[in-house]
Amino acid sequence: VRHSDYVIRYGGDEFCVLLVDVNEHLLWRIAERVRERIAAIRFEGTTARVSGSIGALICRPESRKKIVPKKLIAHADSAMYESKKLGGDRVCAYQLYGRRKTRLEVPQSSA
């Protein structure tokens, strides 16, 4: 992540990464880079694989005053569980406009 971002251990094996001032393209680029680096982890003497199930949420400026941080975490958490449900080792992302949450597809330039 960038120097302006925050990585927080949220509990157990869950982490929260707060990205500051991003658009959809940058969100996907950073999330995929994190996912790829997790997948590249190797443990000496074993064939065990590590993978990440990443849930992401972009909160548009007009939504920031209308929603509490706990609800933002809940939206990102549900996206993470969707990623796990789809087999893991992937990113599921949403954007929040007001109170409406819509799925973010991978931008063509990030695929």
Side-chain angles (χ1 to χ4, degrees), residues 30-72:
I30 292 171
E32 280 296 330
R33 185 175 0 155
V34 168
R35 187 196 60 75
E36 289 168 0
R37 288 188 178 171
I38 292 169
I41 295 171
R42 299 291 180 260
F43 296 103
E44 194 174 316
T46 182
T47 58
R49 276 192 72 233
V50 178
S51 66
S53 298
I54 297 175
L57 178 75
I58 284 186
C59 183
R60 299 291 178 193
E62 61 272 12
S63 301
R64 290 183 189 149
K65 293 180 182 174
K66 299 176 185 174
I67 192 160
V68 295
K70 191 173 188 176
K71 192 72 172 170
L72 293 174

Side-chain angles (χ1 to χ4, degrees), residues 45-109:
T46 182
T47 58
R49 276 192 72 233
V50 178
S51 66
S53 298
I54 297 175
L57 178 75
I58 284 186
C59 183
R60 299 291 178 193
E62 61 272 12
S63 301
R64 290 183 189 149
K65 293 180 182 174
K66 299 176 185 174
I67 192 160
V68 295
K70 191 173 188 176
K71 192 72 172 170
L72 293 174
I73 296 287
H75 284 309
D77 201 43
S78 70
M80 185 261 308
Y81 279 107
E82 180 181 344
S83 176
K84 284 184 177 189
K85 187 175 166 184
L86 293 171
D89 196 29
R90 71 183 67 235
V91 175
C92 288
Y94 287 86
Q95 58 187 342
L96 194 61
Y97 283 112
R99 293 177 187 237
R100 193 184 73 207
K101 183 174 83 172
T102 57
R103 188 176 178 97
L104 265 179
E105 299 302 327
V106 179
Q108 292 301 318
S109 63

